[in-house]
Amino acid sequence: MKKVFCLLLVVLAFGAGLAGGKHILLLEAEGIINPPMAGYIVRGIEKAEREGALALIIQLDTPGGLMDSMRRIVKKILGAEVPVIVYVAPSGSRAASAGVFITMAAHVAAMAPGTNIGAAHPVELGEKKMDETMLKKVVNDTVAYIKTIARERKRNEKWAEKAVRESSSITAREALKLHVIDLVAPSLEELLKELDGRKIRLGSGRTVVLRTEGIQVVRLKMSFRDKLLHTLSNPMIAYILLMLGIYGLFFELSNPGAIFPGVVGGICLILAFFAFQMLPINYAGIALIILGIILLIMEVKITSYGLLSIGGIISLLLGSLMLIESPAQYLRLSLSVVVPMVLVSAGFFLFALTMVIRAHRRRPQTGQEGLLGERGKALTDIAPEGTVEVLGEIWRAFSDQQIKAGEAVEVVGVEGLRLKVRREEG
């Protein structure tokens, strides 16, 4: 009877999933929720499941992001076979827009003091604005989605709907009071203490009990690839890469064979267009930027008394402002970046093209053409031939005039190895 009782206890312990893992994985998700960030979080959950980790903590600080990337993360969290804890931290962080969905989808939602959550109203991404009917459909679909998540995690459905329809935003203490999150913890150590002994029901129906006292926390950093792609998806970086790519190709076309500017410019353009895939790009903005550069180039070749320069600068400025079209602040270009870049671009093209035109118009300094107009001295009488000294060199010379030795001469022509000269007047 005693053996049966012990066996029963073992079975119950396994059924409850007591203290199965030896460590907790920690992901630091900071920035826009985009495909690279989604890949980082999804792979983190898979790694935690594969290694048999006790739990996975996502330390979150995001202004929001793309709906598709957010849904991919939420889907993975809801079906995870390891407890997922979303911790909005450190103080001053936020879980806005897409971050609201991710936080509410977690098995345990926690926030640090001084953080906030909310403003989950869907924004219009893309070149074409949604009409009222389509926007209403999108909002209703988003509301249904977040209410489903809230119901699954037994959280406040009414506030979840309000966050989407009215862009409601609340503090950590308010979120705890309204049962939007489960706890408030000022640090990771305090969070682990609060989690100790908490029961978590996983998607498969299995229940586990967290034993976090003295547990090892392993930080899983972004891979170099994910970090690079995440950086490239920043609107400011994409814009700067676009401008650098245009500079590089311009240099290469102006100086064929330079190679380096063309290679760098080509790489920058490819990276810029890759980043544009993850951003709501307005291609009219790109067209205006290209038009602005063409106008600046024409200014050097056509006398417009500054009209082409003004048109080019205005076109560059409008194109830069229109390039990324989104009501979301984190997806828009900052004027503090756009204005200096436009002014630097205008100055760069005007200066570079002016130097090129001057170089083409400058009289040759070497070869036969470089001798034309040079002054020298007759070493012998020239009648009609003799010798002269020009630029420290002795040349055979001929002239249509009678020139005496010692007189100053000017080169007016070159025929083979002979110079045609004339007496320099005065």
Side-chain angles (χ1 to χ4, degrees), residues 367-371 374-380 382 385-398 409 411 413-421:
Q368 294 183 351
E369 295 82 357
L371 291 170
E374 293 293 342
R375 271 72 172 174
K377 182 177 69 172
L379 299 178
T380 64
I382 301 176
E385 295 187 0
T387 57
V388 297
E389 181 183 359
V390 178
L391 298 176
E393 298 176 342
I394 298 175
W395 291 80
R396 291 179 59 196
F398 65 98
V409 297
V411 180
V414 180
E415 294 183 5
L417 297 177
R418 296 193 309 161
L419 302 180
K420 184 177 181 179
V421 298

Side-chain angles (χ1 to χ4, degrees), residues 3 36 93 135 145 215-216 272 276 291 296-297 330 337 370 390 405:
K3 290 183 179 180
S93 301
L135 181 59
Y145 188 55
I215 194 77
Q216 180 187 10
F276 288 164
L291 175 62
L296 291 173
I297 293 173
Y330 57 86
V337 174
V390 178

